[in-house]
Structure formats: structure tokens, C-alpha cells
Amino acid sequence: MMPVVGFGTASEPVLSDQTIFLDAIEAGYRHFDTAMAYGTEQLLGCAIEEAIRRGLIKSRDELFITSKLWCTYAHHDLVLPAIKQTLSNLGLEYLDLYLIHWPIRLVEHKEITFYFDKVDILPFEMGPTWEAMEECQRLGLTKSIGVSNFTCKKLTQLLSLARIPPVVNQVEVNIGWQQKKLIDFCKEKGIVVCAWSPLGACGVGWGSNMVIENPVLHQIAQTRGKTKAQVALRWVYEQGIVIIVKSFNKERIRENLKIFDWELSEEDHRLICEIPQKRGPCENFFVGSDGPFKTSEDLWDGEM
Ligand SMILES: NC(=O)c1ccc[n+]([C@@H]2O[C@H](COP(=O)([O-])OP(=O)(O)OC[C@H]3O[C@@H](n4cnc5c(N)ncnc54)[C@H](OP(=O)(O)O)[C@@H]3O)[C@@H](O)[C@H]2O)c1
């Protein structure tokens, strides 16, 4: 079981105060999405401790906590040390979900950053990496394991070698990048899709305003008397998938939860379906002429 709205924690610059996490718990969020690469594990851990102290929650078990294996640790023997470091950062005994952040392996012992040299990208070793992820689950360090940014092709490969199949694929999904084929594939295989950048990461370095400024969204929001963000999030929810949304603003974190007592019409869906599709610019971290992924097609196995 996983709450359908998760609270995103990635930001630039990295958050330096835990208050917004306490506000989120107070507002009702019970699912938090972090990663070693976000630099938010420690702050989230402190907030969980404080939330228990203040009585906002009785124990850590009331929360669903996801974290992710960074690419410099995507080496068979580094996965266990990585999850142990993550648990130590969070001050927790177990995660609810541990994901391979990207199907990318970077040379080990490098700084944990998205701004790495593309020549540092090594061939990804899916079998050995996944075997070590399975060991994390067997040892009880995480209740479940999954992946992020995997294509249908990579999921097929993973399902053929996994002894414990992945429960989640966390990928970009929003009205501007609807991923119908991947969502259908995951549903057929019993893999839950979690949508990152459901608002297109507006105002964030790796995103754009293409989603939030879309005229169709504006039109539907006006008709329904909702905000553009609420329409965008409701659409993701109505795809039968999980939302991971980030806001560090006290009003907006509440606004983003008010998507359950109304619905989009068939006409709204038809209009949204016709929106021209384009991925967000997040892939720029990995694609470059000096690395193995020269083009977007290379990175995404041609699944554009
Ligand atoms: N697995 C992956 O590779 C991956 C990649 C990217 C993201 N993620 C995860 O997914 C989470 C969410 O994705 P994201 O942060 O990229 O993008 P997002 O949630 O689509 O957008 C975040 C941006 O939207 C703004 N925002 C939030 N609520 C709003 C509202 N109601 N009205 C107007 N603007 C609003 C936020 O600003 P304010 O903070 O000022 O409200 C922030 O600038 C991340 O934090 C991270 O946990 C995972």
C-alpha cells in the first residue's frame, strides 16, 4: 500500500530547513520521496523525529518513505553501503521503497551531483545491480524495491532476470508527456507508475513552464473553478497512477491535496489528450556528445 500523493523533496538550491516537511505532515502528506542525490535525506529524517515528538504522527510506520540509489553507487558491491548510508542519513531502520534512480552507472567515488562529466558514464550492469537491490529487501532494509526512469525495453530485460520483480517505475508523467504506452505496459506487468514532475517542474532548473502555462489547462481550470496545478494533478490521478509533487510553499502544499472530491469530464480528457507531447529537459543531465548517450533516443531506447 502506498499513498497516492507523494511529497517531492528535490530542489535547487537544496532545502536547508525542515519546517516545510512538518507543514506537509500536518497538512496530511504521508508519503515522502527523497534520494541520496537530493541532499534532503537528513532534513527529512530530522522532520520525522520532530513530527513524532510533537505528536503529529505516532511512529515512523505511519509514513511511506522512498529513497533512491545514486548512479555512482550502481555497482554491485556499493548498493548495500549506499542504502545503509541513506538509512543513517534518515535515522531510520528501514525504507518503504528503494529505487534505482536512473539506469545509469557512473564511475565510483565521485561527488554526488547531477552535474557530472558525461565521460564518467559506464555501461549499466542491470543484473548485478538488481541482485544487490534484492539483497537490500531480503535483509529488511527496505520493504520493497523498484526502479526509476526505466523504458519498456529495460523493464522487459529486468523482469526476465529478477527474482524479486520491481514494484514501481518512477518516471516523468504530466499532461505534456503522457507516457500512455509505458503506463499500459507497467499496468499489464503489475508495476505501479509514480509520476515525477506532474506540474512539469515549473520554475525548477530541470523543468519548464510548458505544463503550467498550457492554454488547455488554463481553460479547464477556469471552467471547473480549480487551479491549473489541481487540474494537472487530477489528470495524473485519473490515469490510475501515483503523484509525486513538490511544493515548499505552505498554501500550495494544501492546494495540491484538494483533488479528490471532483473529477475531469470526458471532454476535458479529450482536450488534454490532444496536447502536443514533449519530454522535460531533465535528460540533459545524461545526454551529451562526449558520453555514451549522444541523443535523447539513445537514453530512452528510442521510446520517444
Ligand atoms: N526519479 C527521478 O528521476 C525524479 C526526477 C525529478 C523529480 N523527482 C521527484 O518528483 C518530485 C516532483 O517533481 P519536480 O519537483 O521535478 O516537479 P513538480 O512537482 O512538477 O513541480 C515543482 C514546481 O512546481 C511548483 N508548484 C508546486 N505546486 C504548485 C501549485 N499548486 N501552483 C503553482 N506552482 C506549484 C513548485 O514551486 P513551490 O515549491 O514554490 O510551490 C516547484 O517549482 C521531486 O521533488 C522529486 O522528489 C524524481
Side-chain angles (χ1 to χ4, degrees):
M1 296 288 282
M2 161 188 236
V4 291
V5 181
F7 190 88
T9 68
S11 72
E12 271 180 341
V14 175
L15 192 68
S16 57
D17 174 17
Q18 65 180 37
T19 313
I20 199 69
F21 294 144
L22 290 164
D23 291 338
I25 293 174
E26 210 163 17
Y29 290 84
R30 292 294 179 268
H31 172 180
F32 288 83
D33 181 78
T34 184
M36 193 183 266
Y38 301 163
T40 45
E41 290 176 330
Q42 276 167 333
L43 220 50
L44 179 59
C46 292
I48 294 170
E49 204 183 317
E50 180 63 15
I52 296 169
R53 202 187 61 75
R54 290 191 196 177
L56 296 176
I57 48 171
K58 288 200 186 70
S59 79
R60 171 262 176 275
D61 300 355
E62 291 177 31
L63 301 177
F64 188 100
I65 307 294
T66 301
S67 193
K68 313 188 192 84
L69 176 82
W70 183 238
C71 310
T72 45
Y73 290 87
H75 300 253
H76 179 272
D77 294 347
L78 296 184
V79 176
L80 208 50
I83 194 172
K84 285 182 178 167
Q85 182 61 54
T86 278
L87 288 170
S88 156
N89 291 345
L90 282 158
L92 298 180
E93 284 175 7
Y94 70 91
L95 295 174
D96 294 274
L97 179 62
Y98 195 45
L99 303 177
I100 295 181
H101 203 150
W102 283 84
I104 302 268
R105 185 165 64 113
L106 287 172
V107 288
E108 50 190 279
H109 307 309
K110 285 268 179 168
E111 190 195 347
I112 299 174
T113 171
F114 282 89
Y115 301 96
F116 51 82
D117 293 332
K118 312 286 191 288
V119 289
D120 286 343
I121 300 177
L122 305 171
F124 181 61
E125 295 180 327
M126 191 182 292
T129 309
W130 189 251
E131 191 185 75
M133 293 289 286
E134 291 175 330
E135 187 60 11
C136 294
Q137 180 170 327
R138 275 195 208 97
L139 291 170
L141 302 175
T142 182
K143 288 194 171 174
S144 49
I145 49 176
V147 296
S148 179
N149 302 303
F150 270 46
T151 57
C152 295
K153 182 179 173 185
K154 289 199 176 72
L155 286 173
T156 304
Q157 196 187 338
L158 180 56
L159 288 169
S160 74
L161 58 83
R163 275 169 293 183
I164 302 176
V167 292
V168 157
N169 187 19
Q170 188 184 110
V171 291
E172 180 185 3
V173 181
N174 52 56
I175 58 154
W177 189 242
Q178 300 181 10
Q179 301 253 45
K180 287 206 180 306
K181 185 179 161 221
L182 182 62
I183 292 173
D184 286 348
F185 180 87
C186 287
K187 280 187 182 163
E188 191 195 309
K189 303 292 180 193
I191 298 169
V192 174
V193 172
C194 294
W196 58 256
S197 294
L199 304 176
C202 49
V204 182
W206 57 87
S208 80
N209 289 341
M210 299 259 291
V211 167
I212 211 74
E213 286 177 0
N214 187 283
V216 170
L217 202 59
H218 180 74
Q219 185 190 326
I220 297 174
Q222 285 215 314
T223 320
R224 305 244 150 262
K226 303 292 173 193
T227 67
K228 291 186 283 183
Q230 286 169 331
V231 173
L233 296 174
R234 177 76 203 183
W235 177 84
V236 173
Y237 173 65
E238 289 190 16
Q239 305 313 299
I241 65 176
V242 172
I243 300 164
I244 311 288
V245 62
K246 172 260 169 187
S247 176
F248 290 168
N249 172 284
K250 203 170 172 173
E251 282 73 46
R252 288 192 285 275
I253 63 175
R254 286 183 158 73
E255 174 189 326
N256 293 345
L257 286 179
K258 292 181 187 150
I259 58 163
F260 296 110
D261 56 354
W262 55 281
E263 58 188 28
L264 296 169
S265 67
E266 271 183 36
E267 176 61 4
D268 295 336
H269 278 282
R270 194 189 62 73
L271 290 170
I272 292 173
C273 217
E274 286 173 0
I275 293 173
Q277 297 295 293
K278 191 176 187 311
R279 275 185 198 279
C282 196
E283 63 189 26
N284 293 342
F285 292 121
F286 306 99
V287 174
S289 56
D290 50 343
F293 307 110
K294 311 275 183 231
T295 65
S296 190
E297 279 83 358
D298 292 342
L299 181 65
W300 299 112
D301 300 323
E303 295 177 23
M304 302 307 295

